[in-house]
Amino acid sequence: MASVAPTPPAAKPPPPKLNPVRVQIPEESVPDRTQDFREVLHAYSKEDAVLEAKRCIQCRRPWCVEACPISQDCREYITLLAVRDFDGAARVTLQDNPLSTSLCKVCYHYCEDSCVVKKKGVPIAIRQLKRAALELGNSDLAYVPSKPRGQRVAVVGGGPAGLQAAWELGLRGYGVTVFEQEPVVGGLMQTIPGYRMTDADVQTDRARFRDLDVTFLTDHRVGPEFPPEQLLEQGYQAVFLSIGTSTHRVLGIPGEELPGVVPALQLLKRINRGETVRIGERVVVVGGGDVAMDSVRSALRLCHGRPVTLVYRRSRPEMPADPEEIHGAEQEGIRFLFQKAPVRIVGAGHVEGLVVQSVELGAPDAGGRRTPVNVPGSEETLPCDTVIVAVGQKADLTGFGLELDLRIAPQGWPEGKGERFATATPGVFAAGGRSVVYAMGNAIEAAAGIDRYLCGLRGETPQPRPDAFGAATSYHLPAGYTTPIRT
Ligand SMILES: Cc1cc2nc3c(=O)[nH]c(=O)nc-3n(C[C@H](O)[C@H](O)[C@H](O)COP(=O)(O)OP(=O)(O)OC[C@H]3O[C@@H](n4cnc5c(N)ncnc54)[C@H](O)[C@@H]3O)c2cc1C
Ligand code: SF4
Ligand code: SF4
């Protein structure tokens, strides 16, 4: 018998060529952008968006999706952009993410840190491509609720966590009432300066909730006169507390009561509301986080190029602020004074100076950050007429009783200690997060807990979240997905 020559194995397709260079994101020049609060970053053109999307090598295991706290299927919207299906890309973006228009401007893009392309060059511009999907495709869509469940949930706090929970529960067919103490929803997003995002972005996101049974009651504070337990007595079957960190922390040094000392949150909120805000000629901002970066850059825009100084007690590598924001502040000419701790504020009837002391960095603390130690005899006075205090935020827990047994997260928001953020009071859940998308991620988990609790009351088994636009297939995690990072 004649032997048959074995068929040679099919040649493997060559691996996709990795392009390490990102298509440049258009931005305002430094002299122009510091004149006012105009947006710094602009959208990609259609051609640039497609070019950037084509850089994605479509990893079989999507590291980017795994790193996203809400499991946004960014690999999929990038694929659709690369083949010019802009409407499809917009829909995919919105089906996982009810705050897409806000997040495409301000998310700290944890996905990009995990993108494999970063190993060879600049990661795919995943956040900027989200913006391209929404602006180039049809993003004026309305979410579709499931059949009504006949149960109502009260959400206290209309920040990102509260909005995400309202969306999750609204899609599942629950009635939701959001109680928000401020005149507008958005939470701390309402303090993010206009050069990064505007209230219109939050409103665009909120408009897509129009067909869900979600009622927003603004200027409604839950607290001493209207305790959260009363909500359960008033016919709400469950309560989600997402009160975040709406008050500022103080320095706790002498002179902090002087006119001219301004809490950062108050300043940023007033600017965003369009109020006339006057600050002095010589401004010093104290802090090293994102709020401090927003404060120095906003102050620079208010005082039209006069010097603005940032005082931070540790060194630059230890600044908790987003590197992109630090870079923006450096580009705009902010003066950074590192390893200086504020000691007191001086002035006769108004701020005239901030006394600081040099700091040496000692042994690392439990969290691995080196402990600042003040150097005796190293005091100096920084002449100034405005001191902006940006040293963190905390929750206002007035009216929230001990029976809830809340835990305070290191960054200040209250959360339930139980499974899926359940508090010690049955039916009451509480969560928040250190950034917009982390707050949303935690709210997804809390909403699943609330759904399970309410299903229990009805004697039903919880189902996965339905498709956001009413498609027959229910919500599923993308292939290759493992465990979300939600801490
Ligand atoms: C200046 C600034 C810039 C930031 N920049 C970014 C950024 O670029 N990217 C990013 O991802 N994150 C950013 N953050 C962080 C982000 O805004 C927060 O992590 C996020 O908003 C937390 O969401 P949350 O819903 O848990 O709480 P919050 O946003 O604090 O919302 C809580 C809401 O509850 C309301 N509330 C509180 N108590 C009551 C009550 N008793 N009754 C009724 N309502 C109540 C509050 O008014 C508020 O609206 C920034 C924060 C600040 C301050
Ligand atoms: S929401 Fe943020 S982390 Fe998630 S994919 Fe979008 S930019 Fe990345
Ligand atoms: S990790 Fe980067 S290259 Fe891989 S799928 Fe995600 S965006 Fe594309």
Side-chain angles (χ1 to χ4, degrees):
M1 209 167 84
S3 66
V4 180
T7 326
K12 266 194 180 169
K17 209 164 166 241
L18 194 146
N19 174 359
V21 184
R22 177 181 281 187
V23 176
Q24 205 179 349
I25 299 173
E27 63 175 55
E28 289 281 328
S29 73
V30 170
D32 286 345
R33 75 191 193 206
T34 48
Q35 298 304 308
D36 50 35
F37 284 80
R38 73 184 72 172
E39 264 190 74
V40 171
L41 297 182
H42 297 295
Y44 273 145
S45 68
K46 207 175 255 190
E47 294 318 312
D48 280 355
V50 172
L51 267 182
E52 178 63 12
K54 283 186 171 165
R55 282 209 309 134
C56 168
I57 58 169
Q58 291 296 312
C59 306
R60 192 185 290 265
R61 179 174 172 181
W63 304 98
C64 48
V65 181
E66 286 185 23
C68 173
I70 57 166
S71 318
Q72 166 95 78
D73 194 352
C74 41
R75 180 183 59 177
E76 184 62 16
Y77 72 64
I78 296 172
T79 316
L80 294 168
L81 284 173
V83 297
R84 296 177 164 271
D85 180 356
F86 302 112
D87 286 349
R91 196 182 164 94
V92 164
T93 303
L94 294 166
Q95 85 189 5
D96 292 343
N97 184 347
L99 299 183
S100 298
T101 304
S102 307
L103 280 177
C104 77
K105 308 269 181 81
V106 300
C107 186
Y108 293 135
H109 46 69
Y110 308 100
C111 50
E112 294 177 20
D113 291 338
S114 296
C115 172
V116 286
V117 178
K118 194 176 175 188
K119 290 186 185 153
K120 300 277 180 205
V122 187
I124 307 301
I126 303 172
R127 182 184 73 188
Q128 182 73 3
L129 288 177
K130 194 191 312 296
R131 179 170 179 176
L134 297 172
E135 294 185 10
L136 298 171
N138 174 18
S139 55
D140 183 18
L141 302 173
Y143 292 120
V144 178
S146 310
K147 72 172 174 34
R149 303 277 163 205
Q151 286 168 306
R152 229 177 155 79
V153 181
V155 170
V156 182
L163 292 172
Q164 177 77 32
W167 181 76
E168 295 276 338
L169 296 165
L171 286 183
R172 287 174 166 100
Y174 295 108
V176 182
T177 305
V178 179
F179 294 84
E180 168 54 54
Q181 63 184 2
E182 296 284 335
V184 281
V185 296
L188 288 180
M189 286 194 294
Q190 292 291 353
T191 59
I192 298 180
Y195 60 81
R196 299 207 285 126
M197 73 172 279
T198 64
D199 184 44
D201 297 318
V202 181
Q203 296 313 329
T204 304
D205 283 327
R206 194 184 130 170
R208 297 189 199 99
F209 286 47
R210 55 188 174 259
D211 293 341
L212 304 182
D213 182 4
V214 178
T215 307
F216 293 95
L217 293 181
T218 50
D219 289 317
H220 273 69
R221 179 174 161 81
V222 173
E225 283 110 57
F226 181 35
E229 309 84 74
Q230 245 185 46
L231 292 165
L232 291 171
E233 290 156 19
Q234 284 184 354
Y236 294 98
Q237 273 90 350
V239 177
F240 178 50
L241 302 176
S242 47
I243 60 170
T245 52
S246 54
T247 53
H248 63 274
R249 288 186 199 274
V250 295
L251 287 166
I253 58 174
E256 210 166 344
E257 69 295 340
L258 279 171
V261 180
V262 192
L265 278 193
Q266 195 189 86
L267 176 87
L268 295 170
K269 211 185 280 181
R270 287 187 58 208
I271 299 173
N272 278 357
R273 285 184 185 164
E275 293 176 25
T276 311
V277 179
R278 287 187 222 293
I279 55 169
E281 306 263 310
R282 284 172 301 179
V283 179
V284 173
V285 176
V286 183
D290 292 308
V291 183
M293 291 308 115
D294 283 340
S295 302
V296 276
R297 297 179 72 187
S298 295
L300 187 81
R301 284 159 173 78
L302 287 177
C303 64
H304 303 295
R306 284 190 289 272
V308 176
T309 305
L310 181 108
V311 170
Y312 179 54
R313 63 190 185 139
R314 289 186 164 95
S315 59
R316 191 188 185 290
E318 278 143 329
M319 286 180 93
D322 182 48
E324 203 174 291
E325 298 308 314
I326 301 174
H327 176 65
E330 283 172 340
Q331 272 186 325
E332 290 170 11
I334 302 299
R335 177 179 170 232
F336 286 76
L337 278 184
F338 293 113
Q339 294 185 232
K340 300 281 180 199
V343 177
R344 62 186 172 277
I345 300 166
V346 291
H350 197 278
V351 172
E352 288 170 14
L354 174 70
V355 180
V356 294
Q357 201 168 29
S358 295
V359 163
E360 274 176 5
L361 294 175
D365 60 17
R369 293 176 84 203
R370 294 170 69 196
T371 317
V373 183
N374 288 13
V375 179
S378 63
E379 284 186 7
E380 61 178 304
T381 303
L382 308 175
C384 58
D385 49 19
T386 306
V387 175
I388 301 173
V389 182
V391 291
Q393 293 82 242
K394 58 182 180 174
D396 179 357
L397 288 168
T398 326
F400 294 88
L402 290 177
E403 66 283 357
L404 292 166
D405 194 24
L406 296 167
R407 167 177 57 211
I408 303 299
Q411 294 94 338
W413 65 86
E415 59 187 22
K417 291 180 188 166
E419 206 183 328
R420 297 195 157 150
F421 300 109
T423 69
T425 304
V428 181
F429 293 70
R434 65 180 159 95
S435 67
V436 174
V437 75
Y438 266 102
M440 291 164 69
N442 288 338
I444 291 177
E445 208 157 318
I450 293 171
D451 180 43
R452 192 168 59 176
Y453 173 79
L454 295 175
C455 283
L457 295 185
R458 297 197 305 274
E460 289 175 14
T461 312
Q463 300 297 318
R465 181 174 82 203
D467 178 80
F469 297 111
T473 49
S474 63
Y475 174 75
H476 65 278
L477 296 175
Y481 179 87
T482 57
T483 315
I485 305 160
R486 294 207 202 284
T487 51

